[in-house]
Amino acid sequence: MTTPPELLVDVAEHVATVTLNRPERLNAMTATLTSALRHTMAELGRDDGVRVIILTGAGRGFCAGADMALLQGLTQGAALPSTPSGDTIDAKTGRELQQRYNFLMAVPKPVIACINGPAAGIGFVLALFADLRFAAADATLTTGFARRGLIAEHGSAFGLAWLVGPGHAADLLLSSRRVSGTEAERIGLVNRALPADELMPFTRRYALELAQSCSPRSLRVIKQQLTALPLQSMAQHFAEADRLMHESLRSEDFKEGVAHFVEKRAPRFSEH
């Protein structure tokens, strides 16, 4: 996989670690980096050797938002870079989940945001649309939009209210205040806050547990079920769950899931 120097990719033991690599700018996003990240996620989503993806930042930041040069250009009339049209993240997922920054929802594998430092603006949005979020206890997270004269960008009002409830979402969006990883855990914005030196080891262990112990097919389908929830009625969800259950009962991974438990051995799930 060829990536620009601003993006690092390492794959080991079925876990891909994708690192935003502009540490001198706290990994602020440029149009080039955004396009590279989207393309890389699309490729990893199609790679049978990858079962779980970790997204993090180099140095002391996760992602400080849009690069200031990009923002200054927009104030002077430059056009907002368009969403890359060449990369369909997942053909089975609707375009509404493959927009400019919510495309992580369409990656057909679990994406874990490892928030090692400041996550602001677009960086906040990237973390928001990951499947799981683990943060350093002293990391800072902020929407930042209202303090830049902007609105709740890229569907973040919908995603944030769905995740933490309308009250906390209103607080974080209207005030644009900074919250620590510890507070983010308390309000449900992140799944776990840990000491900074424990963050990546914990995230890596968690990802390996998913990759080694869980069916890749199950991970893919469960993610599809979770991302579809806001778009479905209760009746639609239960009907779809029944259909998917019948399919899973006919899968090789179900047979293997029972066999390895009965035989008391490690699972040998398929790569698909």
Side-chain angles (χ1 to χ4, degrees), residues 1 9-18 40-54 107-111 204 207 210-212 214-217 219-220 270-272:
M1 181 182 300
V9 180
D10 176 72
V11 179
E13 299 180 276
H14 298 295
V15 175
T17 301
V18 178
T40 295
M41 287 293 178
E43 287 195 338
L44 293 173
R46 292 188 288 266
D47 186 343
D48 288 341
V50 173
R51 297 183 179 183
V52 182
I53 302 169
I54 297 170
V107 177
K109 294 163 187 181
V111 178
R204 177 74 184 171
L210 294 187
Q212 295 172 356
C214 299
S215 154
R217 181 185 183 279
L219 295 177
R220 182 181 71 251
S270 68
E271 298 295 331
H272 302 286

Side-chain angles (χ1 to χ4, degrees), residues 231-261:
L231 309 174
Q232 294 177 318
S233 68
M234 184 182 295
Q236 288 173 323
H237 176 77
F238 283 117
E240 180 70 356
D242 284 346
R243 184 186 70 79
L244 292 170
M245 181 64 177
H246 287 300
E247 288 185 0
S248 69
L249 290 173
R250 296 193 298 270
S251 72
E252 291 301 316
D253 274 8
F254 170 63
K255 297 176 185 176
E256 174 60 16
V258 173
H260 87 81
F261 180 81

Side-chain angles (χ1 to χ4, degrees), residues 41-109:
M41 287 293 178
E43 287 195 338
L44 293 173
R46 292 188 288 266
D47 186 343
D48 288 341
V50 173
R51 297 183 179 183
V52 182
I53 302 169
I54 297 170
L55 176 62
T56 193
R60 61 186 183 87
F62 177 72
C63 175
D67 188 270
M68 192 54 64
L70 174 61
L71 294 180
Q72 289 176 328
L74 293 174
T75 67
Q76 297 166 10
L80 183 69
S82 60
T83 300
S85 58
D87 286 324
T88 297
I89 305 296
D90 181 13
K92 297 179 181 178
T93 304
R95 291 301 301 174
E96 68 274 10
L97 297 181
Q98 303 190 59
Q99 300 301 314
R100 185 164 182 79
Y101 287 109
N102 74 351
F103 61 86
L104 295 181
M105 298 175 70
V107 177
K109 294 163 187 181

Side-chain angles (χ1 to χ4, degrees), residues 6-177:
E6 295 86 359
L7 192 68
L8 305 178
V9 180
D10 176 72
V11 179
E13 299 180 276
H14 298 295
V15 175
T17 301
V18 178
T19 305
L20 306 176
N21 188 37
R22 302 185 72 220
E24 73 286 355
R25 301 302 298 270
L26 289 178
N27 306 309
M29 298 297 287
T30 63
T32 299
L33 182 54
T34 299
S35 180
L37 178 61
R38 183 186 180 92
H39 180 72
T40 295
M41 287 293 178
E43 287 195 338
L44 293 173
R46 292 188 288 266
D47 186 343
D48 288 341
V50 173
R51 297 183 179 183
V52 182
I53 302 169
I54 297 170
L55 176 62
T56 193
R60 61 186 183 87
F62 177 72
C63 175
D67 188 270
M68 192 54 64
L70 174 61
L71 294 180
Q72 289 176 328
L74 293 174
T75 67
Q76 297 166 10
L80 183 69
S82 60
T83 300
S85 58
D87 286 324
T88 297
I89 305 296
D90 181 13
K92 297 179 181 178
T93 304
R95 291 301 301 174
E96 68 274 10
L97 297 181
Q98 303 190 59
Q99 300 301 314
R100 185 164 182 79
Y101 287 109
N102 74 351
F103 61 86
L104 295 181
M105 298 175 70
V107 177
K109 294 163 187 181
V111 178
I112 303 172
C114 180
I115 307 167
N116 55 308
I122 290 171
F124 183 96
V125 173
L126 284 174
L128 177 64
F129 290 123
D131 300 295
L132 294 160
R133 285 155 296 281
F134 302 138
D138 61 355
T140 56
L141 299 89
T142 178
T143 60
F145 307 131
R147 301 193 184 199
R148 297 293 173 269
L150 297 169
I151 53 85
E153 295 179 351
H154 306 296
S156 55
F158 181 91
L160 191 55
W162 178 258
L163 185 64
V164 301
H168 288 310
D171 170 28
L172 296 177
L173 288 166
L174 293 174
S175 72
S176 289
R177 68 183 183 87

